[in-house]
Amino acid sequence: MTHTTDQCSARPPGRPRSERAAKAIVDATLDLLAEEGGVAGVSIEAVAARAGVGKTTIYRRWPNKEALIIDALAALKEPLPEPRGVSVREDLIAIARAFVADKSDKKRVDCYWSVLGSAERYPELVERVTREVIEPRREVMRAALRRGIASGELRPDLDVELAQWIITGTITHRARAAGAGPVPVDFAERIVDAVLAGFAAH
Amino acid sequence: MTHTTDQCSARPPGRPRSERAAKAIVDATLDLLAEEGGVAGVSIEAVAARAGVGKTTIYRRWPNKEALIIDALAALKEPLPEPRGVSVREDLIAIARAFVADKSDKKRVDCYWSVLGSAERYPELVERVTREVIEPRREVMRAALRRGIASGELRPDLDVELAQWIITGTITHRARAAGAGPVPVDFAERIVDAVLAGFAAH
DNA sequence: CCGATACGCAACTGTACCGTTTCGAAAGTC
DNA sequence: GACTTTCGAAACGGTACAGTTGCGTATCGG
């Protein structure tokens, strides 16, 4: 062994890549994605300018805009809610609360909205976000609903898929509605109680 | 009176503007708005090319892209549903059906989605669409819900605003969901029945 | 037919961005 | 100190679009 640098991961020679620069680039990308309202509005030049970084520094790490955005979106992932409460009502409220909290982060919502709005142009991006972020969260809610049916708390003929659309759709729509202001903190409980009890009298 | 052309509306001399061209321009604008997934994706050049029209013909009628898009969106307006059925259930289903039909027109949904997604960039567009298209439809549903409460069909403590978010949000979200396919024809009835009866057993 | 206007088309200037390259300086290892 | 790689900055050619202008033609009224 003539090498003394065989430590572990074979650190390459030369100046190491700045971690600060990488973070600044990702942050700037998300900022622009949220502000410009679309993937098309994000330009490498704008990202570089906002991050206080040379374009070289970006192109050294990512081959193009799509790859940068994909990596940036990964930084948005939040841990899945894992409710195992005593009742369906509490499980659903916990999940809905996590949704509302997510949607209260304006930057986060705007990023997802921007990406999903660019479906025709960047199908790969949309497919990836759907698979890695949206679908797992939908599954958590479906599982909670199925548990409720099994425990007898929910009507046995409940359409789980439809029920799931109702809860997530309401929150999403409310969060994105123009001019409706921020989602109230108790929105999760109110919607769960409303759909559990039903609109009809008695 | 030396003029014989005083007929009525003082028709200007020269070749009149082609109605066909105007329609082709508006159609092309909406097509692009839906396909490109954003206001930014619509370029006058692309509109002209798709409409089979010279750029001059566009600029003669509209001063810029925003004005063109505003006028084009006006062509999307559909008549308001005006339900006065025998029961709240039928009223809500009628309104929901109109929503679903609207959302089944992919071009129409994509156009609104595109515009609303450009909120930060083009606030005037968003404000206008919200005021002239969305809010009147929301009001129709609120009115139906209030009638239901007054008639005793709906529980008196029902949160009308929340109920309205639930129904419209579910349809909108379902229509826009990636990879979920077209909204089924019976979606309107299923959602109304589900929220009327509630999820809970008995 | 004449004048006026609109038509589609092409050419033009100006701006913005892409993706690449070059540069001198900085920051690490040996 | 020698070497390697990254850093931010600047410049480059290429593409796309905005908005304008000129041109020959078409279509209206008188």
Side-chain angles (χ1 to χ4, degrees), chain B residues 57-76:
Chain B
T57 307
I58 299 180
Y59 280 113
R60 194 174 291 118
R61 292 170 162 82
W62 293 278
N64 52 46
K65 189 166 70 177
E66 285 75 21
L68 168 57
I69 290 181
I70 288 179
D71 272 15
L73 287 175
L76 279 184

Side-chain angles (χ1 to χ4, degrees), chain B residues 30-104:
Chain B
L30 294 176
D31 284 352
L32 286 171
L33 196 56
E35 287 175 16
E36 302 299 315
V39 176
V42 178
S43 72
I44 299 288
E45 299 221 345
V47 171
R50 177 177 290 235
V53 146
K55 283 199 293 180
T56 332
T57 307
I58 299 180
Y59 280 113
R60 194 174 291 118
R61 292 170 162 82
W62 293 278
N64 52 46
K65 189 166 70 177
E66 285 75 21
L68 168 57
I69 290 181
I70 288 179
D71 272 15
L73 287 175
L76 279 184
K77 274 198 281 191
E78 283 283 294
L80 277 178
E82 196 57 56
R84 283 282 170 176
V86 291
S87 66
V88 172
R89 176 175 180 273
E90 289 186 20
D91 279 6
L92 291 179
I93 288 178
I95 299 172
R97 276 220 185 97
F99 262 77
V100 170
D102 248 34
K103 306 294 185 195
S104 299

Side-chain angles (χ1 to χ4, degrees), chain A residues 30 36 50 61 63 70 75-76 98 106 117 138 158 161 185 189 197:
Chain A
L30 294 176
E36 302 299 314
R50 176 177 290 232
R61 293 170 161 81
I70 287 179
L76 279 184
K106 180 157 173 30
R138 284 168 41 82
L158 180 68
E161 199 67 20
V185 284
E189 289 150 51

Side-chain angles (χ1 to χ4, degrees), chain A residues 24-137:
Chain A
I25 292 168
V26 167
D27 283 351
T29 303
L30 294 176
D31 283 351
L32 286 173
L33 197 55
E35 286 174 18
E36 302 299 314
V39 176
V42 179
S43 72
I44 298 289
E45 300 219 346
V47 171
R50 176 177 290 232
V53 145
K55 284 198 292 179
T56 331
T57 308
I58 299 179
Y59 280 114
R60 194 174 292 118
R61 293 170 161 81
W62 293 278
N64 51 49
K65 190 166 71 175
E66 286 75 20
L68 169 58
I69 290 180
I70 287 179
D71 273 15
L73 287 175
L76 279 184
K77 274 198 281 192
E78 283 283 293
L80 278 178
E82 196 56 58
R84 284 281 171 176
V86 291
S87 66
V88 172
R89 177 175 179 272
E90 290 187 18
D91 279 6
L92 291 180
I93 288 178
I95 298 172
R97 275 219 186 97
F99 262 77
V100 170
D102 248 34
K103 307 294 185 195
S104 299
D105 183 347
K106 180 157 173 30
K107 179 167 148 185
R108 187 187 310 272
V109 187
D110 287 349
C111 284
Y112 287 133
W113 183 274
S114 295
V115 172
L116 296 182
S118 311
E120 319 281 337
R121 265 292 207 225
Y122 307 89
E124 188 194 348
L125 245 62
V126 177
E127 199 270 334
R128 183 155 172 163
V129 170
T130 302
R131 177 164 39 83
E132 296 185 3
V133 178
I134 298 178
E135 193 51 40
R137 279 153 185 79

Side-chain angles (χ1 to χ4, degrees), chain B residues 9-191:
Chain B
S9 52
R11 167 96 138 66
R15 175 176 174 174
R17 294 191 177 174
S18 160
E19 197 54 48
R20 268 186 63 259
K23 184 163 163 37
I25 292 168
V26 168
D27 283 352
T29 303
L30 294 176
D31 284 352
L32 286 171
L33 196 56
E35 287 175 16
E36 302 299 315
V39 176
V42 178
S43 72
I44 299 288
E45 299 221 345
V47 171
R50 177 177 290 235
V53 146
K55 283 199 293 180
T56 332
T57 307
I58 299 180
Y59 280 113
R60 194 174 291 118
R61 292 170 162 82
W62 293 278
N64 52 46
K65 189 166 70 177
E66 285 75 21
L68 168 57
I69 290 181
I70 288 179
D71 272 15
L73 287 175
L76 279 184
K77 274 198 281 191
E78 283 283 294
L80 277 178
E82 196 57 56
R84 283 282 170 176
V86 291
S87 66
V88 172
R89 176 175 180 273
E90 289 186 20
D91 279 6
L92 291 179
I93 288 178
I95 299 172
R97 276 220 185 97
F99 262 77
V100 170
D102 248 34
K103 306 294 185 195
S104 299
D105 183 349
K106 182 158 172 28
K107 179 166 150 185
R108 185 186 311 272
V109 188
D110 287 349
C111 282
Y112 287 133
W113 183 274
S114 295
V115 172
L116 296 181
S118 311
E120 317 282 337
R121 264 304 202 213
Y122 307 88
E124 188 195 346
L125 246 61
V126 177
E127 199 270 334
R128 184 156 172 164
V129 170
T130 302
R131 178 164 38 80
E132 297 186 2
V133 178
I134 297 178
E135 194 51 41
R137 278 152 185 80
R138 283 168 44 80
E139 181 51 34
V140 170
M141 180 165 292
R142 278 195 294 259
L145 290 167
R146 280 194 294 263
R147 281 199 305 273
I149 294 176
S151 71
E153 292 168 279
L154 300 183
R155 49 175 61 221
D157 61 334
L158 179 67
D159 184 336
V160 170
E161 199 68 19
L162 177 62
Q164 190 270 328
W165 286 119
I166 291 175
I167 297 178
T168 59
T170 304
I171 296 173
T172 305
H173 193 232
R174 173 62 182 74
R176 240 342 262 216
V183 183
V185 284
D186 62 339
F187 199 75
E189 290 151 50
R190 281 166 50 208
I191 179 183

